Amino acid sequence: MEIERVQEIATLSTLKGTIPSEFIRLENEQPATTTVHGVVLEVPVIDLSNPDHQSLVASISEASKNWGLFQVVNHGIPSELISELQKVGREFFELPQEEKEKIAKPIGYEGVEGYGTKLQKEIEGKKGWVDHLFHRVWPPSAINYHFWPKNPPSYREINEQYAQSLIPVADKLLGLLSRGLGLEDGEVKQGLGGEDLIYMLKINYYPPCPCPELALGVVPHTDMSSITILVPNEVQGLQVFKDGHWYDVAYIPNALIIHIGDQIEILSNGKYKSVYHRTTVNKDKTRMSWPMFLEPPPEFEVGPIPKLISQDNPAKYKTKKYKDYVHCKLNKLPQ
């Protein structure tokens, strides 16, 4: 069965000036009518090189409670490496279609890794204007190189370098989140699987769309992960739901965008909030993003950290295996 890729649909749609009906959102979801225009959210920007540890803990804790989203600067990852990451990812998506299909998700495959288009159960048959590639980059025991592009040839080396640069940043962020809950540095990370925490990279490729006011790249959702560390390209498109409305988020050059995901909300027993967000598409330009999802191992049980539970503050979430959480979320089943 031939799977239609959005990249190919986009080429035909641009010639026609229209998009297939399955990409046209319902009116109450269309970006043209649901976005607050003329306002760009200035989400918190946090300088990770700030020597005042208490102030850093406070600002990350505050952002995670009130926004579920923040950007970090002076994170220590060289801007040249981020540019290389973007370059090899873009080059993969610009390859001939048959080359990309070599690492497509196999039919009937239960995992998410590989090149693909559909990720979750689609409500009312509506589709997102995006193709994607998923593969794990850490720890070594979780990696399946079959799903890593062989072309461009430098893809593997660049992605391995990026993963190594990202690990200390992730550890620092998890430590600061832990402190913000009144815990020791390592307790949040331990509650997510410790050194077995899985780094899952996704590349989103949103081709130009002739009717961007009617379509969405990714539908409104919260991330299943603990945290997501995202590199965007220069094309804006992230929107956040705040105070009952959708707003565009302004990017800062060389910043990493951090999303609080469901597992941190659960661990913190609701003190930190996972961010409800979606992505829009652009009429003339290709938008891409590189989110890295920090996920507990599939069999690992995640629940509210016991130290945060008391008679006055009972557990608001179930403790369950991460793979069971994912199954429910992707299939739109109650947790």
Side-chain angles (χ1 to χ4, degrees):
M1 187 183 87
E2 188 69 16
I3 297 169
E4 278 199 293
R5 302 301 183 194
V6 174
Q7 205 170 348
E8 295 178 296
I9 294 166
T11 307
L12 293 172
S13 297
T14 303
L15 293 173
K16 292 181 189 164
T18 59
I19 59 175
S21 59
E22 64 267 28
F23 292 97
I24 298 174
R25 310 308 306 186
L26 302 175
E27 206 165 315
N28 62 352
E29 296 178 322
Q30 291 174 8
T33 50
T34 57
T35 301
V36 176
H37 296 283
V39 181
V40 176
L41 280 190
E42 303 290 340
V43 304
V45 177
I46 295 169
D47 182 348
L48 279 189
S49 67
N50 183 351
D52 181 346
H53 194 68
Q54 280 315 103
S55 141
L56 203 46
V57 168
S59 52
I60 281 190
S61 175
E62 186 91 354
S64 303
K65 286 177 201 167
N66 298 331
W67 289 82
L69 177 82
F70 51 93
Q71 301 188 66
V72 295
V73 294
N74 296 323
H75 40 70
I77 301 178
S79 56
E80 305 78 41
L81 180 55
I82 289 178
S83 297
E84 286 290 318
L85 175 82
Q86 293 170 316
K87 179 172 177 279
V88 294
R90 189 174 64 247
E91 286 172 356
F92 167 73
F93 277 93
E94 288 169 354
L95 289 171
Q97 197 55 39
E98 61 274 15
E99 182 74 18
K100 293 188 290 246
E101 295 295 346
K102 288 178 183 170
I103 58 168
K105 294 179 219 289
I107 300 293
Y109 168 64
E110 288 295 306
V112 301
E113 286 187 283
Y115 170 68
T117 298
K118 181 182 167 183
L119 178 59
Q120 57 184 340
K121 191 173 176 182
E122 288 159 342
I123 302 294
E124 288 157 353
K126 294 294 180 189
K127 293 182 159 66
W129 193 262
V130 63
D131 293 323
H132 60 246
L133 170 66
F134 274 100
H135 60 75
R136 293 170 174 170
V137 300
W138 194 257
S141 59
I143 294 174
N144 181 350
Y145 285 113
H146 169 73
F147 293 118
W148 290 47
K150 308 287 180 287
N151 280 311
S154 57
Y155 184 92
R156 175 168 165 174
E157 184 190 350
I158 297 297
N159 277 268
E160 287 179 337
Q161 281 178 22
Y162 178 64
Q164 288 307 306
S165 300
L166 198 64
I167 291 166
V169 179
D171 281 345
K172 183 167 191 171
L173 290 168
L174 292 174
L176 291 162
L177 287 165
S178 208
R179 287 285 180 188
L181 295 169
L183 304 168
E184 295 299 314
D185 275 7
E187 291 188 74
V188 160
K189 186 175 177 181
Q190 283 312 115
L192 297 165
E195 294 306 317
D196 295 325
L197 192 63
I198 289 168
Y199 286 62
M200 174 77 85
L201 178 70
K202 181 186 187 193
I203 307 179
N204 288 306
Y205 185 92
Y206 309 92
C209 175
C211 310
E213 68 287 353
L214 302 178
L216 286 172
V218 176
V219 297
H221 68 288
T222 57
D223 292 346
M224 295 183 283
S225 56
S226 60
I227 59 173
T228 303
I229 303 177
L230 183 140
V231 167
N233 74 348
E234 73 292 345
V235 182
Q236 301 283 337
L238 177 64
Q239 292 193 332
V240 166
F241 194 68
K242 190 149 174 63
D243 306 324
H245 299 284
W246 287 103
Y247 293 91
D248 292 312
V249 171
Y251 298 154
I252 290 178
N254 296 320
L256 299 171
I257 299 171
I258 315 298
H259 298 177
I260 298 295
D262 296 345
Q263 305 312 303
I264 287 282
E265 180 171 323
I266 291 166
L267 274 188
S268 71
N269 204 33
K271 187 172 178 184
Y272 295 148
K273 297 283 183 276
S274 62
V275 62
Y276 195 53
H277 58 288
R278 69 181 187 184
T279 56
T280 58
V281 289
N282 190 285
K283 187 164 189 170
D284 308 306
K285 296 176 184 159
T286 295
R287 181 172 179 267
M288 293 185 72
S289 65
W290 287 256
M292 185 78 79
F293 302 104
L294 272 60
E295 303 182 337
E299 297 287 338
F300 191 83
E301 290 195 346
V302 179
I305 290 179
K307 281 186 188 175
L308 302 178
I309 303 304
S310 65
Q311 219 163 350
D312 300 334
N313 185 30
K316 300 182 176 80
Y317 306 86
K318 290 178 189 165
T319 295
K320 65 198 300 184
K321 286 183 178 178
Y322 182 62
K323 68 172 189 183
D324 295 335
Y325 186 90
V326 170
H327 175 78
C328 291
K329 181 124 175 175
L330 289 182
N331 290 289
K332 307 280 191 288
L333 301 170
Q335 293 289 352

